[in-house]
């Protein structure tokens, strides 16, 4: 068996920052802290912090007053921030700067009187947070068919934004439909889909042609990980999304010689290496590292945390 390891894969700068942020909060305050939603969408990461004593919550009301609450990498709405202030909760914001960028754009367009069309997945934490910035101004869509159902006047003042972890191809189709229907629609000067999402999709798209099967390390609620699996399926290759080697079924590998392995932006490298080790031990796999693009992006810790570090 041959294993092709896609590069880049795994943690992006935003995930690295969020995890480093939570580790630093634990170092400073101890582990009796709270995180609003999962710090990142990955079962392995969340379980590790849970085992350290961190409590993940879905509502600010679950957090005792005067506690410490970390906002996840996906961002939160202004209403959540206000609720935390009202409960006298100390907050540390681990929102990815690229998500913050989308929030800022939503505020800017809403204040300028635009109707904002947000391309994203309903119910995703990032989408909920972005829509919370200007709920009266934002319409959420996901497909070209939903574009056809929009009923804004032809000359309406419109702008579009996107969730940062979308499929580049799928978002492109929706954007083309929007521009066809509303040629005047505006967008930010720099696209919202993040560099890491784009790079990981590009690597899989290029390498999948050499593979018989695709294994993606990531959790089922990870949007960007699902997109990687979908690229494999679109290329007519069997593709599976798993949290780790324990979820791998031997029958998936039967008859296949070349396996492409990648990992979503919130999946740690340790789960990749455990899978590779298993394939080397059980199938005498030979591993090839295929580098499509190099990444050097790094985000600083939140300002409030850097201030604490300096004291």
């Amino acid at each position: 068996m041959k294993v092709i390891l896609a590069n880049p894969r795994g943690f992006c700068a935003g995930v690295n920052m969020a995890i480093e942020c939570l580790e630093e909060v634990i170092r400073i305050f101890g582990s009796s802290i709270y995180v609003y939603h999962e710090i990142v969408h990955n079962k392995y990461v969340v379980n590790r912090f849970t085992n350290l004593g961190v409590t993940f919550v879905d509502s600010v009301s679950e957090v005792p007053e005067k506690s410490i609450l970390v906002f996840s990498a996906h961002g939160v709405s202004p209403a959540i921030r206000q609720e935390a202030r009202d409960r006298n909760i100390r907050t540390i914001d681990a929102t990815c700067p690229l998500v913050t960028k989308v929030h800022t754009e939503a505020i800017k367009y809403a204040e300028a009187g635009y109707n904002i069309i947000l391309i994203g997945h309903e119910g995703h934490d990032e989408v909920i947070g972005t829509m919370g910035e200007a709920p009266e101004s934002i319409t959420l869509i996901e497909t070209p068919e939903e574009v056809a159902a929009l009923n804004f006047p032809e000359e309406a003042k419109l702008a579009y934004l996107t969730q940062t972890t979308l499929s580049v191809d799928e978002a492109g189709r929706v954007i083309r439909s929007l521009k066809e229907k509303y040629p005047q629609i505006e967008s930010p000067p720099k696209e919202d889909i993040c560099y890491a999402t784009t790079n990981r999709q590009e690597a899989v798209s290029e390498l999948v042609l050499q593979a018989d099967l695709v294994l993606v390390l990531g959790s089922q609620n990870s949007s960007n990980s699902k997109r990687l699996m979908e690229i494999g399926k679109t290329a007519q290759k069997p593709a599976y999304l798993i949290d780790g080697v324990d979820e791998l079924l031997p029958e998936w590998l039967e008859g296949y010689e070349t396996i492409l392995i990648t990992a979503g932006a919130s999946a740690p490298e340790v789960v990749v290496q455990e899978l590779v080790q298993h394939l080397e031990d059980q199938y005498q796999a030979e591993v090839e590292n295929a580098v499509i693009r190099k990444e050097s992006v790094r985000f600083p810790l939140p300002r409030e945390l850097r201030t604490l570090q300096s004291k």
Side-chain angles (χ1 to χ4, degrees):
M1 177 187 290
K2 178 180 178 181
V3 168
I4 302 173
L5 270 181
N7 290 277
R9 65 174 181 274
F11 282 178
C12 62
V15 168
N16 269 323
M17 181 276 290
I19 290 174
E20 186 181 346
C21 171
L22 185 48
E23 289 172 340
E24 190 64 7
V25 172
I26 292 170
R27 186 189 70 79
I28 295 171
F29 297 104
S31 59
S32 296
I33 57 173
Y34 296 80
V35 178
Y36 186 76
H37 292 156
E38 296 182 345
I39 186 69
V40 297
H41 284 158
N42 184 265
K43 183 179 176 182
Y44 180 98
V45 172
V46 170
N47 285 347
R48 179 168 77 86
F49 283 115
T50 299
N51 290 336
L52 289 174
V54 174
T55 302
F56 293 91
V57 299
D58 291 321
S59 169
V60 176
S61 64
E62 298 174 58
V63 183
E65 290 190 8
K66 299 183 180 179
S67 297
I68 294 165
L69 176 65
V70 178
F71 293 137
S72 80
H74 306 104
V76 297
S77 68
I80 296 299
R81 297 178 189 278
Q82 185 59 51
E83 187 178 357
R85 284 193 290 270
D86 292 344
R87 290 180 57 78
N88 198 22
I89 291 168
R90 185 173 189 172
T91 61
I92 295 170
D93 191 357
T95 302
C96 171
L98 299 180
V99 174
T100 300
K101 166 186 173 289
V102 180
H103 282 228
T104 302
E105 291 162 351
I107 295 166
K108 181 190 74 172
Y109 281 123
E111 289 179 346
Y114 284 79
N115 289 298
I116 302 161
I117 298 170
L118 176 63
I119 306 168
H121 301 304
E122 186 174 4
H124 190 279
D125 290 344
E126 180 187 327
V127 165
I128 293 169
T130 301
M131 292 189 72
E133 294 289 359
E136 69 292 338
S137 301
I138 299 178
T139 301
L140 178 65
I141 63 170
E142 188 170 345
T143 65
E145 290 73 25
E146 290 174 294
V147 174
L150 294 173
N151 56 6
F152 293 106
E154 281 187 14
E155 298 305 316
K157 199 174 180 182
L158 298 174
Y160 71 83
L161 304 173
T162 70
Q163 182 181 329
T164 63
T165 54
L166 296 180
S167 158
V168 175
D169 290 341
E170 288 179 10
R173 285 193 287 274
V174 178
I175 291 167
R176 285 191 293 274
S177 296
L178 281 171
K179 289 181 175 178
E180 256 178 51
K181 186 168 184 177
Y182 301 109
Q184 80 281 15
I185 196 166
E186 295 186 23
S187 65
K190 188 170 169 46
E191 69 173 18
D192 294 327
I193 297 177
C194 88
Y195 78 95
T197 296
T198 301
N199 289 350
R200 280 147 190 73
Q201 290 178 21
E202 178 188 26
V204 172
S205 296
E206 187 167 327
L207 296 169
V208 71
L209 302 177
Q210 305 172 34
D212 303 314
L213 177 143
V214 180
L215 296 176
V216 180
L217 277 304
S219 292
Q220 295 296 326
N221 61 340
S222 167
S223 177
N224 76 88
S225 298
K226 279 189 171 180
R227 303 295 81 78
L228 297 176
M229 177 184 66
E230 288 168 1
I231 291 171
K233 291 184 174 180
T234 299
Q236 305 299 311
K237 306 294 174 73
Y240 302 96
L241 175 60
I242 58 176
D243 268 301
V245 66
D246 291 346
E247 295 180 5
L248 178 68
L249 299 182
E251 54 263 35
W252 292 348
L253 307 179
E254 289 176 7
Y256 297 118
E257 295 181 357
T258 304
I259 313 299
L260 174 61
I261 295 177
T262 188
S266 49
E269 181 63 14
V270 62
V271 298
V272 176
Q273 293 306 320
E274 286 174 355
L275 176 60
V276 170
Q277 187 66 56
H278 172 76
L279 296 177
E280 287 177 330
D281 292 344
Q282 299 299 317
Y283 298 90
Q284 294 73 56
E286 295 181 3
V287 180
E288 173 194 338
N289 270 292
V291 181
I292 302 303
R293 190 178 297 276
K294 293 187 177 181
E295 294 178 346
S296 57
V297 180
R298 181 173 174 78
F299 295 138
L301 290 173
R303 184 181 296 108
E304 60 266 35
L305 197 51
R306 298 199 304 274
T307 301
L308 287 170
Q309 286 176 320
S310 64
K311 289 182 178 178

